[in-house]
Amino acid sequence: MKIYLNGEFVEKEDAKISVYDHGLLYGDGIFEGIRAYDGVVFKLKEHIDRLYDSAKSITLEIPMTKEEMEKVVVDTVKINNLKDAYIRLVITRGVGDLGLDPRKCPKPTIFCIAEPMNPLLGEDGIKVITSSVRRLPVDVLNPAVKSLNYLNSILAKIQANYAGVHEAFLLDSEGYVAEGTGDNIFVVKNGLIKTPPVSSSVLRGITRDTVIELAKELDIPIVEERLTLHELYVADELFITGTAAELVPVVEIDGRVINHGELGEITKKLSEEFKKIRKVMGTKVYE
Ligand code: PMP
């Protein structure tokens, strides 16, 4: 397995970064989780755009054009002879001193990993709990920035682990439903799909946007609206989306069983369509 690290490809065992890297010392950096399906990197341009937006927001200057960054991703998949892969692209502030001042970090660290990975939470319906850990408010650290600060998601995941379920949902600071630890949330009631708006404490998921596009194409009504836990508890269908998890139905939340524990019709339809389009929507690795 070869890893891209600061301009070269190195073996996994040699892919090492400094203990003075501010990505490690302070979580000062950004990343993208991307997938390739059948030799096509799904929505690569959209991922790179989001990466550069995250970078701009935290004033991290990436010493590379977007086109060069796309090539890094494509080349990492290619050099490992992969067709289906999960790709992790990370840019940190780079090596500095022990203070937190980013001016001491002249050169960002850039690495890219590509390896095979099954859907993170399996493909069957999952059980979730609501975490007592709240999603970061937009005026603290905007979840729109895909930063290396994932501790609140990790603390929520630990609660899910203790509860013996697959995933935890986080509320925003006002008590409305935000997102999962690494995924967006959708609810279906009486044929209408709802998902929290990106202006609230959620990341604008690339999979989320894809599902919204698909629903519109399929003429299934969909709105972006703040959601309460009550709406999740009484949902006809509930599912989550994310690059690592893909599209997964939720069959139980906080002990309330959804749709008798069965896969709902709308979730099924969207999942099937998503599986079809993801092999063709994106950037080809092999010509
Ligand atoms: N929310 C959070 C907190 C995430 O980490 C992710 C995974 N990147 C998502 C939502 C889903 O985003 P995407 O569909 O772009 O993977």
Side-chain angles (χ1 to χ4, degrees):
M1 190 61 66
K2 285 203 163 31
I3 314 261
Y4 173 91
L5 176 61
N6 294 328
E8 30 184 334
F9 285 99
V10 296
E11 290 301 329
K12 188 174 175 177
E13 305 73 51
D14 302 322
K16 293 179 181 152
I17 62 164
S18 166
V19 291
Y20 286 88
D21 194 297
H22 279 211
L24 175 62
L25 288 176
Y26 295 114
D28 186 359
I30 51 168
F31 76 102
E32 280 296 316
I34 309 168
R35 269 191 192 270
Y37 295 100
D38 204 19
V40 176
V41 183
F42 180 64
K43 288 198 166 178
L44 178 58
K45 285 192 192 316
E46 287 83 345
H47 278 285
I48 299 297
D49 282 343
R50 187 172 68 181
L51 180 79
Y52 277 69
D53 282 350
S54 294
K56 184 168 187 200
S57 190
I58 68 162
T59 71
L60 200 170
E61 215 163 299
I62 303 176
M64 226 184 244
T65 63
K66 286 187 181 180
E67 290 70 30
E68 286 166 341
M69 192 61 82
E70 279 171 34
K71 191 168 172 339
V72 165
V73 173
V74 167
D75 287 351
T76 308
V77 177
K78 203 185 273 174
I79 204 166
N80 289 295
N81 291 316
L82 293 165
K83 287 188 104 183
D84 296 281
Y86 178 79
I87 302 151
R88 178 58 61 90
L89 177 60
V90 181
I91 326 270
T92 80
R93 189 79 64 179
V95 175
D97 62 16
L98 290 180
L100 55 78
D101 190 343
R103 289 176 300 186
K104 299 285 173 58
C105 309
K107 194 167 150 269
T109 300
I110 304 175
F111 62 89
C112 186
I113 307 167
E115 58 183 32
M117 191 174 92
N118 289 329
L120 193 67
L121 303 170
E123 294 189 79
D124 301 331
I126 58 163
K127 293 183 180 182
V128 307
I129 53 150
T130 311
S131 171
S132 61
V133 179
R134 297 297 175 102
R135 194 66 181 108
L136 294 160
V138 291
D139 57 345
V140 175
L141 177 57
N142 197 320
V145 176
K146 202 161 165 50
S147 83
L148 295 180
N149 289 260
Y150 260 57
L151 201 47
N152 84 321
S153 276
I154 289 165
L155 292 174
K157 193 71 168 184
I158 288 168
Q159 286 189 317
N161 292 346
Y162 276 123
V165 299
H166 303 86
E167 176 60 319
F169 285 176
L170 293 85
L171 306 180
D172 67 19
S173 53
E174 289 179 79
Y176 290 94
V177 174
E179 58 185 343
T181 62
D183 37 76
N184 293 110
I185 302 169
F186 289 78
V187 62
V188 183
K189 183 77 172 174
N190 298 327
L192 173 67
I193 311 174
K194 289 186 184 179
T195 193
V198 284
S199 53
S200 56
S201 290
V202 303
L203 177 75
R204 179 179 210 125
I206 308 278
T207 325
R208 172 192 182 279
D209 279 358
T210 308
V211 164
I212 294 173
E213 287 157 18
L214 286 176
K216 287 181 178 160
E217 277 166 30
L218 294 166
D219 277 329
I220 308 170
I222 185 158
V223 289
E224 295 176 54
E225 202 176 278
R226 294 219 284 192
L227 294 171
T228 63
L229 265 183
H230 170 76
E231 289 176 87
L232 268 52
Y233 292 161
V234 300
D236 294 335
E237 300 177 35
L238 189 57
F239 63 91
I240 59 167
T241 63
T243 300
E246 302 184 335
L247 195 162
V248 194
V250 175
V251 292
E252 193 180 304
I253 169 164
D254 295 335
R256 281 80 164 177
V257 176
I258 306 295
N259 197 35
H260 311 288
E262 303 286 331
L263 177 66
E265 277 311 306
I266 290 180
T267 311
K268 188 164 164 241
K269 182 86 197 136
L270 287 168
S271 179
E272 284 167 0
E273 289 300 316
F274 177 59
K275 282 186 181 149
K276 271 189 227 162
I277 59 115
R278 67 191 188 186
K279 289 185 185 161
V280 289
M281 228 184 209
T283 305
K284 277 192 187 148
V285 177
Y286 308 95
E287 284 311 323

